[in-house]
Amino acid sequence: MSALAQVLQQISAREPLFHHRDLVYSAETFDRETSDDFWEVGASGRVYQRDQVRDGILERLATEDEDVMLADGWQTEDHHVRALGADTYLFTYVLRGQGRVTRRSTVWRGSPERGWQALYHQGTVVQESA
């Protein structure tokens, strides 16, 4: 297996990141999984800084059942990875669930000291064709 195929396999297992209770289940694990300068552009087009995303995730964790975090019927597909630089990768995929389809992209950095960390994430709703 090529090095890029290994990266694709490792990152694919982590996405959608904020819906895996085994990866993100507290403020500490959120901080471990994201870089200090992490930010996100939501499906609405709004920009969210790391603290805002963390607060939203922690609120969802406190109010939703574990089964809702990665709901039955959610599907990821069309996984792709592209090297952007040393140990930095763009991962893109399609997420189907909750009555909508979104195209997602996450920039990941991997290091032996910190493991994988998300640097940036964006989700864009796919509009149905007329």
Side-chain angles (χ1 to χ4, degrees):
M1 179 181 295
S2 73
L4 199 55
Q6 288 177 345
V7 168
L8 177 63
Q9 184 178 42
Q10 291 170 9
I11 294 174
S12 292
R14 307 183 84 74
E15 292 277 9
L17 175 61
F18 301 133
H19 296 278
H20 279 283
R21 240 186 228 255
D22 57 324
L23 295 175
V24 176
Y25 51 85
S26 66
E28 293 78 20
T29 57
F30 179 92
D31 291 348
R32 181 186 69 216
E33 295 294 324
T34 60
S35 67
D36 292 341
D37 58 351
F38 174 85
W39 62 292
E40 173 177 314
V41 175
S44 66
R46 289 188 182 123
V47 173
Y48 299 95
Q49 299 305 317
R50 184 176 193 237
D51 292 345
Q52 294 171 294
V53 177
R54 182 194 308 113
D55 291 347
I57 298 302
L58 294 176
E59 182 178 325
R60 191 174 74 218
L61 284 168
T63 59
E64 291 186 354
D65 287 336
E66 186 170 333
D67 293 342
V68 176
M69 289 298 290
L70 192 53
D72 289 336
W74 284 27
Q75 297 175 345
T76 63
E77 58 191 48
D78 202 20
H79 297 182
H80 297 280
V81 69
R82 175 176 288 194
L84 298 177
D87 302 318
T88 304
Y89 301 88
L90 171 64
F91 178 70
T92 60
Y93 62 101
V94 172
L95 177 64
R96 297 179 183 276
Q98 293 187 320
R100 68 182 189 176
V101 176
T102 54
R103 292 194 182 277
R104 306 269 176 133
S105 60
T106 309
V107 176
W108 288 92
R109 179 179 51 221
S111 75
E113 301 81 31
R114 300 282 314 250
W116 287 108
Q117 285 193 310
L119 306 173
Y120 169 82
H121 179 75
Q122 181 167 354
T124 303
V125 176
V126 176
Q127 301 297 320
E128 290 187 36
S129 299

